[in-house]
Amino acid sequence: MSDERTPAEPEVMEPTFWRKNGWTARVIKNEEDDGWAVEIRKQGLAEPVLISPWVMGRDKKNPKPFDATAFATFVKTASEVLDRSARQRDQAMTKKLSIAWEGRWYEVRLEIVADEYEPHALLSAVDDAGATVAKHRVPVTFKFNRDVANEWVRGGFCEP
């Protein structure tokens, strides 16, 4: 995905190809059987976000034409797929543990920073009032588990 802004593409609303608001829906031949499928793409992404079966038209040979409702439904579904994927990616990049020490609770986090040139992680602790108590840069290979987190909290959050 590019950080550069791509110019808005013109809207197209043809029977088997729609492009609107950065989304494209195109009817393609279904490789799995004799039917049709719809490929949904988001502008700026190299791969389709969603490929879904599509219905035959009245002649039982050609695909049914798109309409505004079908396009909106596909865009909504594809947006949900992207959102779910982003949440899973974020969850995979962050590990959290709750640690109790001296009558206080701390949420200890290890967040992987996938920097192309200097990948690293951030080890941080947030107290039960929501204040960040400590934050240190650690190697991406930093071993993070309950024992390590407990030791770090009990040691006063010193740089590991």
Side-chain angles (χ1 to χ4, degrees):
M1 187 164 35
S2 173
D3 287 333
E4 296 178 23
R5 295 272 180 209
T6 52
E9 295 178 331
E11 286 188 7
V12 177
M13 290 176 223
E14 298 174 355
T16 59
F17 182 84
W18 275 48
R19 181 176 32 218
K20 187 174 180 179
N21 298 330
W23 289 94
T24 302
R26 178 173 65 104
V27 175
I28 57 174
K29 188 74 176 141
N30 188 343
E31 296 175 7
E32 303 294 319
D33 63 22
D34 292 334
W36 299 93
V38 175
E39 175 185 83
I40 309 299
R41 292 180 173 269
K42 182 162 177 64
Q43 185 177 0
L45 298 181
E47 297 292 322
V49 175
L50 178 71
I51 297 178
S52 178
W54 185 239
V55 294
M56 296 278 196
R58 291 180 186 248
D59 65 2
K60 304 292 182 210
K61 182 179 170 189
N62 294 307
K64 179 181 173 185
F66 281 127
D67 59 24
T69 304
F71 183 76
T73 300
F74 280 123
V75 167
K76 180 179 185 284
T77 303
S79 294
E80 290 168 354
V81 167
L82 286 177
D83 290 346
R84 219 172 14 255
S85 176
R87 278 194 307 276
Q88 288 173 338
R89 189 173 47 252
D90 289 346
Q91 287 173 349
M93 301 293 276
T94 303
K95 296 181 179 9
K96 300 176 189 176
L97 290 169
S98 292
I99 305 294
W101 178 245
E102 296 183 338
R104 301 213 50 194
W105 281 95
Y106 299 95
E107 183 179 83
V108 179
R109 301 177 188 162
L110 182 71
E111 299 173 62
I112 305 295
V113 179
D115 185 285
E116 185 177 346
Y117 300 104
E118 292 184 56
H120 60 280
L122 297 173
L123 178 66
S124 63
V126 177
D127 67 15
D128 48 13
T132 300
V133 179
K135 190 175 221 174
H136 298 287
R137 183 176 170 147
V138 295
V140 76
T141 57
F142 183 82
K143 183 168 176 109
F144 184 75
N145 58 38
R146 185 160 301 281
D147 291 338
V148 169
N150 270 316
E151 184 179 315
W152 185 57
V153 171
R154 290 181 178 139
F157 309 103
C158 295
E159 188 165 343

